[in-house]
Structures are given as C-alpha cells and as structure tokens.
Amino acid sequence: MNIIDLKNFTLSIAQQEKTNLIVQGVSLSIQNGEILGVVGESGSGKTMLMRFLLGVMPQNMTASFDSFSFLGSLISLEESKNVRSDIAMVLQDPKTSLNPVLTVEDQIKEAFILKGDKDNLDEKVLKTLQEVSIQDPLRVAKSYPFELSGGMGQRVMIAMMLALKPKLLIADEPTSSLDAHVQRQILDLLRDTAKKNGMTLIIVSHDLPLISAYCHRVIVMYKGHIVDSCKAQDLSKSKHPYTKGLLRCLPKLNDPRKRLSILKREEIDL
C-alpha cells in the first residue's frame, strides 16, 4: 500500500501583485516503508513540497491538487493539514531547530505530551535517547542545545520525532552541516530507525552519492517539476540531461579538475 498518493499538485505564492509557481503539476506516490530520496538544486521546490506534506505552508501560499490520499484515505485540501500528526520532519540545523532555553529532556517531553502520552515521561525520555544511540542519555537529557555537538543535536532531533511516533519521517538536509563520518552515522541511524519502527522515510539532500547509498528510489526536481525518477542504485546511469548535469558537477578524488562542470540549462526540456 502507498502511504502517499498525490496527483497534479501545484503550489503558488503571491508576491507584489504577481503569482509565482513554486511547484507545478507534481504527481508523487510513495510506498509504505520506502526510503525515498529527493534531490535538486536550491529553489527547485523540494522543501516546499515537503512542507505541504507536513502541513506547514506559509499563509501567502496557495495549494491545489486533483487528489491526495494518505494511507489509502482520500484527503481534501481543507483536511490536508490534519495528517501532520502522523508526519514529522528532522530539519537541517539542530542549533536553530531546538529551543535554546529548554533542556533536551523538556523538549522531548513536549513531543510525548503533544502525542497524548503523559505517563512515565522521565523513563521514556531516557529510553528514546538510548534508541538513537546516545551513550550517556541522562547527561544529554539535562543538557541545553548549545552544549551539544552538531551530530548529537541531530540525534536529539530524531529522538524528538520518534516520540511523536510518525508514520512518515521527512529528513530535510539532515547531514549538510556535519563531517563525512558523522553524516554516515546519522543516515545509518535514520535508515535503521525507520526499518525498526516501520516508518516511511524521505531524505531531501543535495548529496547525490549519499542518496544513492541510502535510498530505495530517487526523484529529481527542477524548477518545481519532477523531471526524473529512478532506483537509487541506478542514479549514476540516468539519461535525463538535468540529472546528468548534476552528476557532472560533483568533484571526484580520482578525477581532479581545475574547474567543475556547470549545468547546461538549454539542454533541459520541461
């Protein structure tokens, strides 16, 4: 069964008496339990598509679609914001996502309470921190966000999302500010956690090699459109000119170049 079925989705924003299309005619199906990668350059519409799924669009944006179903149930445009209780998002930078004046313990407790789970919170906080491989959960629980490293902050963010028991977890650039070793640790954690808890996982990233390594399938977005879709293992073999352009822009240790390739946009046909 598909957890998401979205047909002909369009998202526009009103700016200075002009309407700009952010996402245009996107149709997307995601299987329950799938790990989906979403790639594309900045401004391609990746994050705004995810924000629609989460139900947290800016007020000056207008959405429309032919049909939208979540876990097999048709959802109207008015009801689309209500599915967010089953969807959670891990954001790019824990330093700006976590509340700086609350301890980790208090913030995870808020997540449990939001889900209506108010019993034995101290014990559940420690257990949840252990589930994301934090070795000293008591110390971390009493810490403030500024006392955590980037990788530890991301683990705390994932723990908070697990407290919400989502059916769909969206990770929006979850490793962009981390070094290569910690990136792998966080993505291992996301993949293993999703499998253990039966969650569907969407990873939004600019890092094509990481997406290829951790996802089942990849969609490529450009100017608000989905222009390419393939198995993650086949991403490097894509024939679409935009995907090929993104791949050519990647630096390679075994092929050093003085200057990286640039996208030839005239070759891209929408």
Side-chain angles (χ1 to χ4, degrees):
M1 179 176 67
N2 289 340
I3 188 170
I4 293 285
D5 273 305
L6 182 61
K7 305 294 184 185
N8 196 27
F9 171 66
T10 296
L11 184 64
S12 60
I13 182 170
Q15 291 179 316
Q16 298 179 350
E17 300 182 357
K18 181 180 178 181
T19 299
N20 295 315
L21 291 173
I22 306 300
V23 180
Q24 305 181 50
V26 162
S27 294
L28 177 65
S29 294
I30 307 172
Q31 292 183 354
N32 199 18
E34 182 178 21
I35 301 179
L36 176 70
V38 182
V39 301
E41 61 191 304
S42 297
S44 61
K46 307 184 304 297
T47 296
M48 285 302 164
L49 175 58
M50 297 303 110
R51 290 187 67 171
F52 165 74
L53 295 178
L54 191 64
V56 288
M57 294 186 306
Q59 290 185 349
N60 61 341
M61 285 195 170
T62 302
S64 66
F65 50 74
D66 289 347
S67 66
F68 176 39
S69 67
F70 183 74
L71 284 173
S73 298
L74 283 173
I75 308 294
S76 69
L77 184 58
E78 291 72 23
E79 296 169 331
S80 61
K81 294 182 180 181
N82 298 330
V83 303
R84 75 175 103 175
S85 61
D86 289 315
I87 302 175
M89 181 181 283
V90 177
L91 298 173
Q92 180 174 352
D93 186 0
K95 297 293 186 184
T96 56
S97 303
L98 295 170
N99 190 326
V101 299
L102 293 180
T103 64
V104 166
E105 178 181 42
D106 289 337
Q107 295 186 63
I108 296 178
K109 283 181 179 180
E110 280 188 351
F112 276 112
I113 293 170
L114 184 63
K115 201 64 179 179
D117 190 351
K118 302 179 182 180
D119 299 325
N120 304 316
L121 289 180
D122 291 337
E123 178 182 337
K124 287 175 179 174
V125 167
L126 296 180
K127 182 179 178 181
T128 304
L129 290 173
Q130 288 173 330
E131 287 179 356
V132 295
S133 301
I134 291 178
Q135 301 300 319
D136 189 357
L138 184 59
R139 180 188 64 80
V140 173
K142 301 298 182 182
S143 299
Y144 288 89
F146 74 88
E147 298 176 293
L148 306 176
S149 66
M152 189 66 72
Q154 282 295 46
R155 291 178 187 274
V156 168
M157 286 290 298
I158 295 169
M160 288 177 62
M161 298 306 104
L162 291 180
L164 296 171
K165 298 178 181 178
K167 294 180 174 65
L168 171 62
L169 180 62
I170 301 169
D172 190 2
E173 296 285 356
T175 62
S176 62
S177 60
L178 307 176
D179 63 53
H181 178 64
V182 180
Q183 283 182 351
R184 293 281 178 176
Q185 289 181 340
I186 295 300
L187 287 173
D188 283 343
L189 175 61
L190 284 168
R191 178 192 59 196
D192 296 345
T193 300
K195 184 176 180 179
K196 178 182 177 182
N197 292 278
M199 293 187 304
T200 303
L201 177 61
I202 300 176
I203 302 176
V204 181
S205 179
H206 289 91
D207 194 322
L208 275 65
L210 282 180
I211 287 290
S212 297
Y214 283 89
C215 298
H216 298 132
R217 183 167 58 96
V218 180
I219 62 171
V220 183
M221 295 192 68
Y222 176 62
K223 289 188 175 181
H225 298 266
I226 294 178
V227 296
D228 198 7
S229 177
C230 63
K231 293 181 179 179
Q233 64 190 30
D234 296 331
L235 182 61
S236 62
K237 304 173 187 176
S238 174
K239 302 299 183 183
H240 193 280
Y242 179 66
T243 308
K244 289 169 67 176
L246 291 178
L247 291 166
R248 283 196 302 266
C249 293
L250 294 174
K252 298 179 181 178
L253 292 176
N254 60 355
D255 183 23
R257 288 166 284 175
K258 290 183 178 180
R259 184 173 181 178
L260 294 176
S261 299
I262 60 173
L263 281 169
K264 298 179 180 179
R265 299 182 187 275
E266 64 274 9
E267 298 177 357
I268 303 169
D269 184 11
L270 295 177

